[in-house]
């Protein structure tokens, strides 16, 4: 939090910043220092975008924590924050996080347009939420398994029969 406070204080009016932060900084509201620093950030700067990055983006660099990129400009109070969510992208050795993942972000940023990955949150909603500014995508489609326990048991029993038949073939 001290580093973020130092950056805010060091910027001149009109100065811009893009910073990668641990997600804990955004959602922690249980300690006064976190709330006061985020209040100062929103009062002194216009936080115009937050990008939620996938977990594991910085694992190779020794940081395994979930991160976000904050973009802000000093001199104007934040009235709305535009969020862009990349957190569902799987990152690994064979699937690196590449710049092409930001194509839609750069296309939507000038107008801060809504999409399945982006949305706007008003300052009042942030204040009402105790200055929790974590990205929680309201547009994400959540696939839910609606099968009943009986249907799941039937699927398991069917698969068990397939496995037993395959084992019997292997034994022959």
């Amino acid at each position: 939090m001290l580093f973020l406070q130092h950056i805010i204080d060091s910027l001149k009016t009109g100065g811009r910043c893009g910073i990668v932060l641990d997600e804990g900084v955004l959602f922690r509201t249980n300690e006064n220092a976190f709330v006061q620093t985020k209040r100062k950030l929103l009062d002194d700067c216009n936080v115009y975008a937050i990008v939620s990055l996938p977990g594991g983006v910085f694992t190779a660099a020794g940081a395994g924590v979930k991160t976000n990129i904050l973009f802000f400009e000093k001199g104007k109070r934040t009235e709305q924050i535009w969020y862009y969510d990349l957190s569902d992208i799987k990152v690994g050795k064979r699937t690196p996080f590449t710049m092409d993942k930001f194509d839609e972000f750069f296309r939507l940023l000038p107008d801060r347009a809504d999409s399945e990955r982006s949305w706007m949150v008003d300052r009042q909603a942030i204040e009402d939420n105790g200055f929790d500014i974590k990205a929680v995508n309201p547009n994400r489609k959540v696939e839910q398994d609606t099968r009943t326990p009986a249907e799941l048991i039937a699927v398991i029993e069917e698969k068990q029969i397939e496995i037993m038949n395959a084992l019997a073939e292997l034994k022959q």
Side-chain angles (χ1 to χ4, degrees):
M1 293 312 294
L2 292 175
F3 188 70
L4 183 56
Q5 290 172 14
H6 176 70
I7 290 171
I8 295 166
D9 292 340
S10 297
L11 281 175
K12 293 179 181 175
T13 299
R16 294 186 194 174
C17 180
I19 184 172
V20 176
L21 289 176
D22 174 337
E23 189 163 86
V25 170
L26 302 184
F27 71 79
R28 288 181 67 180
T29 58
N30 59 339
E31 294 176 33
N32 203 26
F34 284 90
V35 174
Q36 286 180 342
T37 301
K38 288 185 281 188
R39 180 177 284 136
K40 177 179 178 56
L41 174 66
L42 298 179
D43 286 345
D44 294 357
C45 303
N46 178 26
V47 179
Y48 55 88
I50 296 178
V51 179
S52 178
L53 297 174
V57 169
F58 295 105
T59 301
V65 297
K66 172 91 174 67
T67 54
N68 291 260
I69 308 172
L70 267 70
F71 295 97
F72 57 92
E73 180 178 352
K74 188 169 182 176
K76 290 187 229 167
R77 172 183 150 107
T78 302
E79 295 302 331
Q80 293 181 316
I81 299 177
W82 182 70
Y83 289 88
Y84 192 80
D85 184 15
L86 293 170
S87 64
D88 64 323
I89 296 172
K90 302 294 180 226
V91 177
K93 285 183 180 180
R94 295 175 193 252
T95 54
F97 191 67
T98 54
M99 280 300 292
D100 64 309
K101 305 294 191 276
F102 286 94
D103 288 348
E104 184 186 53
F105 168 78
F106 288 122
R107 188 171 44 76
L108 296 175
L109 179 62
D111 298 323
R112 299 192 306 164
D114 284 350
S115 72
E116 281 188 29
R117 293 192 177 275
S118 61
W119 67 98
M120 193 76 75
V121 175
D122 291 329
R123 183 183 178 107
Q124 189 60 54
I126 292 166
E127 288 182 12
D128 292 347
N129 203 22
F131 289 90
D132 179 345
I133 58 173
K134 177 183 173 193
V136 180
N137 189 345
N139 304 324
R140 180 176 286 163
K141 305 272 189 280
V142 178
E143 302 223 3
Q144 204 169 25
D145 191 342
T146 58
R147 295 177 289 183
T148 66
E151 291 170 326
L152 291 171
I153 289 170
V155 169
I156 292 168
E157 288 174 339
E158 184 181 315
K159 296 296 180 188
Q160 187 176 8
I161 291 169
E162 286 179 33
I163 292 169
M164 295 308 291
N165 291 338
L167 283 173
E169 273 186 49
L170 287 172
K171 288 180 181 178
Q172 291 177 350

